[in-house]
Amino acid sequence: MRDYPKTLVIIPAYNEEESLAHVVALIREHVPWADIAVIDDGSQDATGRIADRLGVIALHMPFNVGIGAAMQAGFLYAARHGYQVAVQNDGDGQHAPQEIPHLVAALLEGDADIVVGSRYLEPRGYITPPMRRFGIIVLAGVISAITRRRVTDPTSGFRAGSRRVIEFCARLYPHDYPEPESVALFARAGLRLKEIAVTMNPRYGGQSSITWWRSAYYMVKVLLALFIGLLRKVPAA
Amino acid sequence: MYDDRPVIMVLVAALGLFIVVFELVRQRKLKEQYSLLWLATGVALVVLAASRRLLDVVAVAVGIAYPPTALFLLAFGFLLLIVLQFSVVISRLSNENKKLAQEVAILQYELRRIAGDGEPGETTDTEV
């Protein structure tokens, strides 16, 4: 076995009792060198107790703070404990831990600070409902224009970041629906982003945090954040 | 010429507002920093409502035919400012709240890791 960087896999989990144990087991199988942190974001179900029993680093948010703030708690922990790589792997089973070594390997190539697992870089059979696909294409267009590089899956939360990214996110991370905004933020902070094609599962359990009626709000909020973000000073990473 | 009653009503209400806000600050139920806009609202309304001439001048200056309306417009403007201030304060508080929540989550984990023997588990464990 080669030397792996000190890696923390961060699992944001809100009411994921059905899938969490499975996700953690898969991560242990495929990324045995990594530590695992479950961020229980004020779940009302058994997510928190399951996280405690699994013997992972279990951070219990005292109430529901939203995925952005929950992830940031993970980055904060990673920053303080000297992790060199942080991977985000959602707790709903959509992200396939088999892909994590590919994300980390791509990061270790050294030409990027953050590697995003994209569902759309090449066809891997992931089916997105047409309206959502349309929304993602719009966001991808806007973000590609902002960052001046091709981004195909700006909503993907399946990512691996370097120490620079860990430190940056511990300081500054968007609140809710953070992925697209953070991609733009990274680019403006001088962090290099790279996408690799990954296979994702259909959701394993729980329900998407984005229901159809929230999609309109999602788009407006994210686009507003992106455009206002352009007029903001971003601290260099 | 117009009916004095709306102006008198505003005068009384504004004086009442001023007294209530002042009293809340005195009793430390309202922070000085958040009382400023309220007090300014009260003062501005009292001054305008008490001086017929000043009210007429202001109304004419902004093209309002019925001067008492200017009082309501002024009150509305101040309310917008106050509500905006609230939104800003709420945003700041929610940001601070978020940071506290993150620290609590991390501290709680580290405390349990230090204090607990082995795995920080629940005492009420049941089989999954």
Side-chain angles (χ1 to χ4, degrees):
Chain A
M1 240 189 170
R2 48 189 276 218
D3 272 350
Y4 289 105
K6 190 169 151 129
T7 302
L8 184 67
V9 178
I10 303 170
I11 308 176
Y14 176 60
N15 292 345
E16 304 288 8
E17 62 180 8
E18 288 168 41
S19 50
L20 184 60
H22 181 67
V23 169
V24 169
L26 281 176
I27 293 171
R28 286 193 165 137
E29 182 188 338
H30 294 282
V31 205
W33 75 87
D35 292 336
I36 300 172
V38 171
I39 322 295
D40 163 29
D41 188 10
S43 301
Q44 287 110 33
D45 66 0
T47 300
R49 290 189 294 281
I50 292 170
D52 282 337
R53 247 193 319 269
L54 288 170
V56 295
I57 298 160
L59 303 187
H60 300 284
M61 305 308 292
F63 42 82
N64 184 256
V65 292
I67 180 153
M71 272 310 295
Q72 196 179 32
F75 286 122
L76 215 52
Y77 185 89
R80 289 180 189 170
H81 291 269
Y83 286 92
Q84 295 303 312
V85 174
V87 178
Q88 176 180 350
N89 187 114
D90 285 351
D92 59 8
Q94 201 182 358
H95 300 158
Q98 296 89 307
E99 301 277 11
I100 293 178
H102 300 138
L103 290 176
V104 176
L107 188 68
L108 295 183
E109 284 170 14
D111 59 342
D113 300 294
I114 181 138
V115 176
V116 177
S118 169
R119 291 162 286 184
Y120 308 117
L121 203 55
E122 50 185 64
R124 295 266 187 111
Y126 186 85
I127 295 161
T128 313
M131 274 311 287
R132 182 166 302 178
R133 186 72 190 99
F134 174 74
I136 291 173
I137 287 173
V138 170
L139 285 180
V142 170
I143 288 175
S144 298
I146 289 174
T147 62
R148 295 199 189 86
R149 59 173 306 144
R150 183 164 167 252
V151 176
T152 61
D153 196 356
T155 60
S156 169
F158 196 26
R159 329 193 269 190
S162 67
R163 179 74 199 171
R164 285 180 77 201
V165 166
I166 292 172
E167 284 171 4
F168 181 80
C169 292
R171 257 192 310 157
L172 184 65
Y173 199 68
H175 276 252
D176 41 5
Y177 312 133
E179 284 85 9
E181 212 183 320
S182 64
V183 168
L185 208 55
F186 293 151
R188 301 200 54 228
L191 295 163
R192 298 157 303 162
L193 182 132
K194 177 164 80 173
E195 284 187 334
I196 65 168
V198 295
T199 304
M200 281 198 203
N201 304 315
R203 298 181 55 82
Y204 182 85
Q207 40 177 266
S208 171
S209 57
I210 304 167
T211 52
W212 66 267
W213 59 270
R214 282 211 206 136
S215 301
Y217 170 74
Y218 176 90
M219 285 300 287
V220 171
K221 194 263 164 192
V222 170
L223 287 174
L224 177 73
L226 286 173
F227 287 122
I228 290 191
L230 281 176
L231 305 171
R232 235 183 229 149
K233 229 191 250 167
V234 174
Chain B
M1 269 302 109
Y2 51 82
D3 194 338
D4 270 335
R5 282 175 303 178
V7 177
I8 291 167
M9 193 182 76
V10 169
L11 182 62
V12 170
L15 275 172
L17 173 72
F18 189 88
I19 291 166
V20 168
V21 171
F22 192 87
E23 192 55 22
L24 285 172
V25 174
R26 202 181 61 81
Q27 293 172 13
R28 296 183 207 284
K29 285 179 182 163
L30 177 60
K31 281 183 136 187
E32 287 84 350
Q33 90 190 92
Y34 302 125
S35 71
L36 289 178
L37 272 174
W38 284 113
L39 292 174
T41 309
V43 169
L45 286 176
V46 168
V47 168
L48 275 188
S51 161
R52 184 72 165 260
R53 258 190 36 204
L54 191 60
L55 181 61
D56 288 347
V57 169
V58 169
V60 167
V62 291
I64 293 173
Y66 179 60
T69 311
L71 292 173
F72 294 97
L73 189 68
L74 187 79
F76 179 73
F78 268 108
L79 280 182
L80 280 187
L81 280 181
I82 290 168
V83 171
L84 184 62
Q85 185 193 29
F86 285 176
S87 300
V88 172
V89 172
I90 289 169
S91 299
R92 196 194 69 216
L93 286 176
S94 79
N95 205 30
E96 292 168 356
N97 204 34
K98 177 196 82 172
K99 282 187 187 146
L100 284 177
Q102 292 169 337
E103 291 298 342
V104 165
I106 291 174
L107 284 175
Q108 188 204 37
Y109 170 73
E110 292 186 334
L111 184 68
R112 290 204 296 174
R113 204 187 43 182
I114 293 165
D117 7 23
E119 133 190 23
E122 299 279 305
T123 47
T124 54
D125 265 7
T126 46
E127 287 301 310
V128 194

